[in-house]
């Protein structure tokens, strides 16, 4: 059976004492719309078939380091600049979480140094708490990265030899599009476990009068942070709303370059038997699409609704750590 193997990402189990302090896990996941069990891919075999159907390996050459970011051209950027009409800027990063919780086993640590005029930050940022960008070397499938490089050739104790975050040293400038499914459905948030399908994305396009196209960075608001604010943290790795794996061919057909959300993209449980984080794997490893996880999309959702405009100029400039698997990032939505 095919197995998913995440790179450089480990799960941390909270102590029973800490877990006892947290709110109970959400109820059984809601599955909508339609019979989710009938969706392709349903299992590891079908997932493997989809992976090979959509992968972009070799599309931009065997030495490509950018993946779907190649779809962002000078013309794309010029069109995106024209979206900055009002001069309104909204940061998409959530403030670093410094307290351990069910969704934050590795808190952000901020220590003041002697004299209190300098400080030290430390964070294990991959996971379900901290706003960050995933580089293309972060996720592997069958011991291969995007473009078919072997694990042993890319992942080393000193960092990634290819596909690392330093390939984004010139930043990301493109059109961002907010996909606010709860707002469309007149809900405060999507309950954990709710999958988002292609028909949801296309219904949103009609609702928002926007068409997603090549070079776009799309941001799915599930309302995760609004729910956390109201009801407290929960075990997001085990139960979150998000994309179903069946959206991958649509992402390729539309030419999406970056994928963002207010959690970790994947609906969990994944609804693909035997595969964990199928959307992460299809996006990063197959399509070469960098991911922006755990973005705070509450303020940008309110701003977009007030302006009745769901597209904006997006800028992201992660620090180009040589060999890095990603970096904490504050993306900016400029209206």
């Amino acid at each position: 059976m095919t197995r998913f193997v995440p790179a450089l990402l480990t799960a941390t189990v909270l102590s029973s004492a800490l877990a006892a302090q947290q709110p109970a896990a959400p109820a059984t996941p809601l599955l909508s719309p339609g019979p989710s069990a009938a969706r392709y891919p349903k299992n590891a075999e079908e997932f493997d078939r989809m992976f090979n159907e959509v992968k972009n390996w070799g599309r931009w050459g065997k030495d490509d380091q950018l993946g779907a970011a190649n779809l962002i051209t000078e013309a794309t950027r010029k069109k995106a600049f024209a979206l900055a009409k009002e001069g309104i800027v909204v940061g998409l990063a959530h403030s670093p979480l410094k307290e351990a919780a069910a969704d934050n086993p590795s808190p952000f640590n901020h220590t003041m140094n002697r004299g209190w005029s300098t400080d030290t930050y430390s964070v294990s940022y991959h996971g379900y708490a901290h706003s960050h960008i995933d580089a293309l070397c972060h996720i592997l499938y069958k011991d291969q990265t995007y473009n078919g490089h072997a694990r042993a050739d890319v992942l080393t104790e000193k960092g990634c030899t290819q596909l690392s975050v330093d390939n984004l040293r010139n930043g990301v400038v493109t059109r961002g599009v907010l996909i606010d499914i709860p707002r469309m459905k007149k809900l405060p948030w999507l309950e954990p476990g709710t999958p988002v399908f292609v028909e949801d994305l296309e219904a949103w396009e009609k609702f928002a009068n926007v068409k997603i196209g090549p070079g776009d960075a799309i941001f799915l608001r599930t309302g995760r942070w609004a729910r956390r604010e109201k009801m407290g943290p929960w075990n997001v790795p085990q139960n979150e709303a998000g994309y179903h794996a069946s959206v991958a061919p649509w992402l390729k057909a539309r030419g999406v370059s970056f994928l963002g959300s207010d959690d970790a993209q994947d609906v969990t449980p994944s609804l693909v038997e035997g595969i964990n984080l199928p959307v992460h794997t299809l996006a990063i490893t197959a399509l070469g699409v960098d991911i922006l996880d755990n973005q705070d999309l509450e303020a940008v959702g309110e701003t977009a609704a007030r302006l009745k405009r769901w597209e904006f100029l997006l800028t992201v400039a992660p620090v180009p750590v040589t060999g890095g698997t990603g970096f904490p990032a504050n993306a900016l939505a400029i209206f």
Side-chain angles (χ1 to χ4, degrees), residues 47 60 86 164 175 190 210 244 254 258 273-274 277 283 295-296 328:
F47 176 84
W60 296 287
E86 287 85 6
S164 70
R175 181 175 78 147
L190 298 180
V210 65
H244 183 266
R254 292 303 184 90
F258 287 83
E273 183 181 0
L277 297 179
Q295 306 300 297
D296 189 336

Coordinates of all heavy atoms in Angstrom, one line a residue, residues 47 60 86 164 175 190 210 244 254 258 273-274 277 283 295-296 328:
F47 N -5.3 7.5 -5.2 CA -4.5 8.7 -5.0 C -3.3 8.6 -5.9 O -2.8 9.6 -6.5 CB -4.1 8.8 -3.5 CG -3.2 9.9 -3.2 CD1 -3.7 11.2 -3.0 CD2 -1.8 9.7 -3.2 CE1 -2.8 12.2 -2.7 CE2 -0.9 10.8 -2.9 CZ -1.5 12.0 -2.7
W60 N 8.6 22.6 -16.5 CA 9.5 23.7 -16.7 C 11.0 23.4 -16.6 O 11.8 24.2 -16.3 CB 9.2 24.7 -15.5 CG 7.8 25.3 -15.6 CD1 7.3 26.2 -16.5 CD2 6.7 24.9 -14.8 NE1 6.0 26.4 -16.3 CE2 5.5 25.6 -15.3 CE3 6.5 24.1 -13.7 CZ2 4.3 25.5 -14.7 CZ3 5.2 23.9 -13.1 CH2 4.2 24.7 -13.6
E86 N -7.3 51.2 -3.4 CA -7.6 52.0 -2.2 C -6.4 52.3 -1.3 O -6.5 53.1 -0.4 CB -8.7 51.3 -1.4 CG -10.1 51.4 -2.0 CD -10.4 50.3 -3.0 OE1 -9.5 49.4 -3.1 OE2 -11.4 50.3 -3.6
S164 N 14.5 24.7 -2.0 CA 14.3 25.3 -0.7 C 13.7 26.7 -0.8 O 13.6 27.2 -1.9 CB 15.7 25.3 0.0 OG 16.5 26.2 -0.6
R175 N -1.6 38.1 -8.0 CA -3.0 38.4 -7.6 C -3.4 37.3 -6.5 O -3.2 36.1 -6.7 CB -4.0 38.3 -8.8 CG -5.5 38.5 -8.3 CD -6.4 38.5 -9.5 NE -6.8 37.2 -9.9 CZ -8.0 36.8 -10.4 NH1 -8.9 37.8 -10.5 NH2 -8.2 35.6 -10.9
L190 N -16.8 26.9 8.9 CA -17.1 25.6 8.6 C -16.7 24.7 9.7 O -15.7 24.8 10.3 CB -16.3 25.2 7.3 CG -16.5 25.9 6.0 CD1 -15.7 25.4 4.9 CD2 -18.0 25.9 5.6
V210 N -15.6 36.5 -9.7 CA -14.2 36.4 -9.9 C -13.9 35.1 -10.6 O -14.5 34.1 -10.3 CB -13.4 36.6 -8.6 CG1 -13.7 35.4 -7.6 CG2 -11.9 36.7 -8.8
H244 N -10.8 18.9 -0.2 CA -10.8 17.5 -0.5 C -9.8 17.3 -1.7 O -9.6 18.1 -2.5 CB -12.2 17.0 -0.9 CG -12.2 15.5 -1.2 ND1 -12.1 14.9 -2.4 CD2 -12.4 14.5 -0.3 CE1 -12.2 13.6 -2.3 NE2 -12.3 13.3 -1.1
R254 N -6.6 25.4 -13.6 CA -6.7 26.8 -13.4 C -5.3 27.5 -13.3 O -5.2 28.7 -13.5 CB -7.5 27.2 -12.2 CG -9.0 26.8 -12.3 CD -9.7 27.5 -13.5 NE -11.1 27.2 -13.6 CZ -12.0 28.0 -13.0 NH1 -11.7 29.0 -12.3 NH2 -13.3 27.6 -13.1
F258 N 0.0 29.5 -5.9 CA 0.2 29.3 -4.4 C -1.2 29.0 -3.8 O -2.2 29.5 -4.2 CB 0.7 30.6 -3.8 CG 2.1 30.9 -4.1 CD1 2.5 31.5 -5.4 CD2 3.2 30.5 -3.3 CE1 3.8 31.7 -5.7 CE2 4.5 30.7 -3.6 CZ 4.8 31.3 -4.8
E273 N -8.6 6.9 2.0 CA -8.2 5.8 2.9 C -6.7 5.6 2.7 O -6.2 5.4 1.5 CB -9.0 4.6 2.7 CG -8.6 3.4 3.6 CD -9.4 2.2 3.3 OE1 -10.3 2.2 2.4 OE2 -9.2 1.2 3.9
G274 N -5.9 5.6 3.8 CA -4.5 5.2 3.7 C -3.6 6.4 3.3 O -2.4 6.2 3.3
L277 N -2.8 13.9 4.6 CA -2.4 15.2 3.9 C -2.3 15.0 2.4 O -1.3 15.4 1.8 CB -1.1 15.7 4.5 CG -1.1 16.1 6.0 CD1 0.3 16.6 6.4 CD2 -2.2 17.2 6.3
A283 N -0.4 19.1 -4.0 CA 0.0 20.5 -4.3 C 1.5 20.7 -4.4 O 2.1 21.1 -5.4 CB -0.6 21.5 -3.3
Q295 N -2.9 30.9 7.8 CA -3.1 32.4 7.7 C -4.3 32.8 8.4 O -5.3 32.1 8.5 CB -3.3 32.7 6.2 CG -2.1 32.2 5.3 CD -0.8 32.7 5.7 OE1 -0.5 33.9 5.6 NE2 0.1 31.8 6.1
D296 N -4.3 34.0 9.0 CA -5.4 34.6 9.7 C -6.2 35.4 8.6 O -5.8 36.5 8.2 CB -5.0 35.5 10.8 CG -6.1 36.0 11.7 OD1 -7.3 36.0 11.2 OD2 -5.9 36.3 12.8
P328 N 8.4 31.2 8.6 CA 7.2 32.0 9.0 C 7.1 33.2 8.1 O 8.0 33.8 7.7 CB 7.6 32.4 10.5 CG 8.6 31.4 10.9 CD 9.4 31.0 9.6

